[in-house]
Amino acid sequence: MKRMGSGILGSFFMLVESVRMSVANIRQNRLRSFLTILGILIGVTAVIALITTIQSVSGSISDSFSSMGAGTLTVSATGTELKAGLDAEDMRRIAELDGVLGVTPSVSLSTKVARGGALETGVAVSGKNDFYFESNPDAIARGRAINALDLEGKSRVCLINADMVDLFFYGVDPVGEVLYIGGLDFTVIGILSESADETVQSMLSGSADIMIPYTTALKMNSESLVTGITVYTEGDSAAVQDSIEAFLDALYNYEDDTYEITTMDSIEDTMDSMLSMMSALLGGIASIALVVGGIGIMNMMLTSVTERTVEIGLKKAVGARPGQIQAQFLIESFLLSVVGGVSGALLGVALSAALCSVMGTSFQLSYAAIALGVGFSAAVGILFGWSPARKASKLNPIDALRRM
Amino acid sequence: MDREFFRMRGITKVYKMGDEDAVVLRGIDLDIQRGEYLSVLGPSGSGKSTLMNIIGCLDQPTEGEYALDGNRIEDLDELELARIRGSEIGFVFQNAQLLTRLDAQKNVELPLIYAGVRPKERERRAREMLSLVGLSDRMHHRPNQLSGGQQQRVAVARALVTNPTLLLADEPTGALDQRTGRQIMELFQQLSGEGRTIIMITHDLNIAKCARRVVHIIDGNLTEGEEATSP
Ligand SMILES: Nc1ncnc2c1ncn2[C@@H]1O[C@H](COP(=O)(O)OP(=O)(O)O)[C@@H](O)[C@H]1O
Ligand SMILES: [Mg+2]
């Protein structure tokens, strides 16, 4: 028996030649190849643009989360029937726990606000304490903060934001003026800055237009206990969480479901899982486009096999093995899809960067998304190229050559 | 000494055509010596191409034994058959059957590509074969830049590039005019003179006479030269 080529090296030379022939075939059917590549390109672009954009958005959300919520945790204490919330003494004791810097209660109400002829209903009013303004010195644009005396005396003083100024104090300096909140007369003591109330709570429940002493807010709500507080911690919030839990358990006689502690981390986790679910869903929808692209490849390869029947027969007659014929066609569909995949990845990244700059979020390049897009398209090429390639390799050389 | 070089016994080919069986080859016995130049002469539809496909290991007989250069063909699997086609047999078809995208040299290299021969070596052998068939000045012409006769010579070069044991030609002059046909025949004569084993299939008595030995095939039966009756 005669042997000509050397094993592995011979296969390598064959492979190089197959790639060359595939490139020649692809270039010969320029338009058809372009359209097929376009199918894959659109799919990969969609997948990568969506995933990268969502990841950028999620990245910048968690960035802003950690910048504004560093070292805080929120406690929502509904308590028991006997003690449905926290009183001033409880808050003082929580504030004295190790690692706790201070506590801010949040008492919200929505009410009518009026001055002169102007009336606004459903205004968000939030009761705060002095510690809130100490730990958020940027909250006040002008005027003074709520102090301990205001809290003790349940004084009717308020700070208002720019919207309220526009509504009720057009052309008038509001500080020192009177504003009717829920039918009571309040003296305006300060103006809130734009960035006031940028806490996690306010982000989740909407920010307040007006801030008043929390004791006053409780009285207006005819309540004596606070159900929501924000705890400012130093250092490890998990350790603090444990001691707060111990305190609340003791306070509510170890009954279940009396309180809930939310840390920045847990909110971020929820947010993250929501966003990754969204990217999986959207990515899944977009990958349908990839499947359609794959069908395009399959269609082109099937056409190509039919057109090249004689060529396949001839190659078999000169000694090509079925595996070599199959490899040739697989390489072709692989090349088509990878060209589509790589250019789709580039386009997708560009599109996502553009989207991010339009939305004003910082763009974050996701290598995982690119790997996914390119890898997926390569897989599509092999998967959808498989059956046409197999069909070609199984062609009977005689049937092929009879067509001559 | 070389009794087993080429030996066919009782080769039969039957095509199933619905309910009826079409018997194309009816028990063909054929022995060929190394270095022989044989032509198979027969009218159209007599089963020449069918026989050639079996000789070339492109097709399997329904019945019968066939041994080529020590290989019992009926025992071989698809991979081994591909190897035999690639190394033992060189095909020349009626139409040259060149790949239009490739130039003459690359077309001649094709069998060596599948055999896994190094690029340098492929190139050297392809050039050598193209000079042998008198096309050293047409190495980089594409098929559509070559005449019919030149294309057929490229096909002969391609058939010879693997240095096959057997050169098989199915009506190699069928698509050519008389003059270029004669040139191809001269090339075959030259190759035979160099000791090649050649089987040529034709329906043309004048072409068949170029070979040193002629067998006739009529209606699937094979007969040696002088005993045959002309159709
Ligand atoms: N695949 C096939 N199925 C059925 N009949 C076939 C097939 N291939 C060839 N034949 C028949 O076999 C006969 C011989 O064909 P072929 O060998 O091509 O003849 P030749 O080459 O001598 O002209 C023809 O009658 C043809 O119709
Ligand atoms: Mg024929």
Side-chain angles (χ1 to χ4, degrees), chain A residues 1-2 17 25 316 398, chain B residues 71 83 101 122 163:
Chain A
M1 293 209 180
K2 304 198 317 186
E17 218 51 50
N25 281 331
K316 283 197 155 185
I398 308 167
Chain B
N71 302 295
R83 193 188 54 75
R101 289 186 301 280
R122 283 198 317 242
N163 193 23

Side-chain angles (χ1 to χ4, degrees), chain A residues 162-183:
Chain A
D163 291 346
M164 294 295 118
V165 176
D166 289 347
L167 269 169
F168 298 107
F169 298 99
Y170 188 77
V172 184
D173 180 8
V175 178
E177 294 290 321
V178 169
L179 189 64
Y180 290 87
I181 302 172

Side-chain angles (χ1 to χ4, degrees), chain B residues 107-127:
Chain B
N107 264 292
V108 176
E109 281 183 37
L110 197 65
L112 299 180
I113 289 173
Y114 291 112
V117 175
R118 286 174 45 231
K120 280 260 154 55
E121 174 71 5
R122 283 198 317 242
E123 209 167 297
R124 190 186 63 73
R125 279 158 74 171
R127 285 167 172 278

